[in-house]
Amino acid sequence: MSLDDARPRFATIANYEFSAVMRGRVVPIASVDDVLRVGLPWVPNNVCISALNTIPPDNPFGPMGETKIIALPHTRMVMPARQDRPAMAVYLCDITNHDRSFWEGCARSQLARTLALLEERHGLTLRVGFEHEFYIFDLNAEVFSAYSLAGARKASVIADEVQQTLATADARLDQFVPEFGYDQFETASAARDAMTACDHAVLAREAIRDAARARGARATFAPKPDLSAAGSGVHIHFSLWDRHGGARTAQSGALTATAGAFAAGILKHIEAVMAYSTPTPNSFQRATESSWVGVFACFGLRNREAALRLAPREAAADGSHPGASLEFRLCDGSANPYLAVATLVRAGMIGLDQSLDPPISVDRDPARIPQPERDARAIRRVPETLDPCLEAAAPFAPEWFGKTFWDAYSSVRRNDIKDAAAAGERYPALLSQII
């Protein structure tokens, strides 16, 4: 390769769509300025393509219509040159109508609209940090123990390259560590405003996959790529802030009234949230009790078996906890991060609108609590399949995201169920090839 191969020759203009796959158009780098100015045509049906490359027959678009993808210059990331390929620039994009107006099928635009509503109605903003668990298969034959130095060294060459790639988008990961499963790792990102956090999360996934491929390995964020091994989740840490930059998540080691109502809304409507945060049949192959997944709809102070927990961190002199975060644990890599965060906000706003009482903290594994006590404390097991979650989400979807959105999104999820049934025992492995 020549030195020119270090410069991008092509650019991908991409949107992260419903099946957690980055799709878009590729243009020569010489065309990028024109593309940034006028956008590119896009097919509405494309957001409905499944991870296994099937198309829901009942999607609302079919062969009709046309939208536009608008590249976002501030999201530019450069993937480095490899032995067999030149460098490539990647731009995230919004999908819009042809007049650049809001289009319901764009997950990123849905998050932008939701965050604006949170600030308008409640004077609040959201900061978000992601923890992603994932596997890197075939990196080398070395076996390491969980959280060990040996595991960290195994991943370090990829971690270093990923950081360099992300730096081209002004992004970074704060941690890249070996996890519980063999060949499993976890990354953590610093808290950012919600949109930036989601942008950086999807870019990080692609940077990790690309670095792994360069070494003949395969990175997968699938929830349960091997049914006999530990599953991979995505933990969403979020905090609430007022317009003046005041922390509104925790005070004196407990939830504030604002955060308490927000958390109560999420727990009240957790089944609807799961239609977006655990959106595939493989998600539910991971969601088992007493496995730190958080399959009980309850709140816990530092409790990793609760679906929602508080990590208060250190208190400031006034008793506030500026470093505090709520952690939502029922999410995985088959989810679109923009939609997962948007849905948490939508459910949380119901709690704020209704001034719900803050949830009572559960201080042990809910699976170990006798059923009568769980009933008395309103601790419930979340659904074990996707169908009840789709049913729970349906009444809210037109108000939250629009009818066209829901017709498209629900068709994708029903199609996922059919894909899984058709693939049978091969389904987790097939999904892990893509996600």
Side-chain angles (χ1 to χ4, degrees):
M1 275 195 170
S2 69
L3 291 176
D4 286 342
D5 290 319
R7 305 189 188 100
R9 295 184 180 183
F10 294 92
T12 296
I13 316 301
N15 185 269
Y16 214 71
E17 43 61 81
F18 295 163
S19 294
V21 176
M22 190 176 285
R23 305 186 199 274
R25 296 196 183 278
V26 181
V27 300
I29 202 69
S31 302
V32 165
D33 287 344
D34 289 339
V35 169
L36 291 175
R37 187 175 67 256
V38 302
L40 290 168
W42 192 240
V43 180
N45 176 79
N46 288 355
V47 299
C48 295
I49 300 173
S50 78
L52 299 189
N53 230 32
T54 61
I55 298 174
D58 58 342
N59 82 80
F61 308 120
M64 304 303 296
E66 189 169 285
T67 52
K68 181 176 283 191
I69 50 177
I70 307 296
L72 305 165
H74 68 280
T75 67
R76 180 179 184 266
M77 180 176 77
V78 178
M79 290 183 165
R82 305 292 188 193
Q83 184 176 4
D84 59 344
R85 68 196 74 173
M88 175 176 279
V90 177
Y91 292 83
L92 299 181
C93 68
D94 287 333
I95 308 176
T96 71
N97 291 310
H98 255 268
D99 62 0
R100 298 202 177 201
S101 62
F102 172 79
W103 185 64
E104 287 184 8
C106 177
R108 192 178 186 280
S109 299
Q110 289 284 5
L111 176 58
R113 177 171 280 197
T114 299
L115 294 172
L117 191 62
L118 176 66
E119 185 163 11
E120 176 188 326
R121 283 170 41 181
H122 299 285
L124 295 171
T125 61
L126 202 71
R127 291 179 65 81
V128 175
F130 288 95
E131 293 176 354
H132 278 88
E133 296 168 343
F134 57 95
Y135 281 86
I136 303 178
F137 295 122
D138 304 318
L139 183 57
N140 60 48
E142 180 186 2
V143 175
F144 61 85
S145 189
Y147 316 114
S148 66
L149 175 60
R153 290 296 290 162
K154 180 174 180 176
S156 61
V157 63
I158 283 184
D160 181 60
E161 185 175 302
V162 167
Q163 293 286 49
Q164 293 183 54
T165 301
L166 288 175
T168 66
D170 195 27
R172 74 173 196 273
L173 297 172
D174 277 1
Q175 296 183 43
F176 199 120
V177 298
E179 248 290 348
F180 185 74
Y182 290 129
D183 296 316
Q184 188 183 36
F185 302 89
E186 180 183 75
T187 62
S189 59
R192 301 280 190 273
D193 69 90
M195 185 64 76
T196 299
C198 290
D199 286 343
H200 288 182
V202 300
L203 291 174
R205 292 185 191 186
E206 299 309 316
I208 290 167
R209 290 189 182 103
D210 193 62
R213 290 190 195 105
R215 288 162 177 78
R218 175 171 58 89
T220 176
F221 295 81
K224 195 78 168 176
D226 181 345
L227 299 187
S228 65
S232 294
V234 174
H235 302 150
I236 305 176
H237 288 261
F238 62 94
S239 55
L240 296 167
W241 300 77
D242 65 28
R243 288 193 180 103
H244 307 293
R248 292 292 178 263
T249 303
Q251 182 74 30
S252 302
L255 292 174
T256 65
T258 297
F262 195 90
I266 292 171
L267 293 175
K268 182 177 181 179
H269 299 291
I270 197 167
E271 292 84 359
V273 172
M274 289 174 65
Y276 304 89
S277 66
T278 56
T280 61
N282 192 233
S283 301
F284 294 84
Q285 292 175 312
R286 168 181 172 265
T288 56
E289 298 176 9
S290 301
S291 59
W292 291 28
V293 175
V295 297
F296 285 90
C298 63
F299 166 79
L301 178 64
R302 301 188 177 93
N303 186 349
R304 291 176 177 81
E305 285 292 352
L308 192 64
R309 76 180 186 106
L310 173 65
R313 310 303 183 203
E314 294 78 11
D318 63 357
S320 67
H321 296 264
S325 65
L326 279 159
E327 180 188 22
F328 183 72
R329 298 182 65 79
L330 269 175
C331 185
D332 62 59
S334 65
N336 179 301
Y338 302 101
L339 292 179
V341 173
T343 309
L344 287 172
V345 173
R346 291 284 181 171
M349 281 197 292
I350 292 178
L352 294 173
D353 292 341
Q354 298 177 358
S355 299
L356 296 181
D357 292 333
I360 304 299
S361 181
V362 175
D363 61 0
R364 51 190 159 136
D365 182 353
R368 309 300 182 197
I369 298 175
Q371 187 63 53
E373 183 180 346
R374 288 208 301 256
D375 292 341
R377 299 177 64 179
I379 301 170
R380 65 188 187 280
R381 175 67 158 88
V382 300
E384 298 184 51
T385 61
L386 180 56
D387 282 314
C389 299
L390 295 175
E391 292 174 9
F396 298 101
E399 177 187 353
W400 288 359
F401 305 126
K403 183 180 184 303
T404 299
F405 168 90
W406 181 246
D407 288 346
Y409 184 82
S410 61
S411 75
V412 173
R413 302 285 74 101
R414 290 191 298 269
N415 190 55
D416 284 341
I417 295 171
K418 292 178 182 177
D419 279 352
E425 293 181 356
R426 299 183 303 129
Y427 168 63
L430 289 173
L431 191 69
S432 72
Q433 297 286 333
I434 307 299
I435 293 179

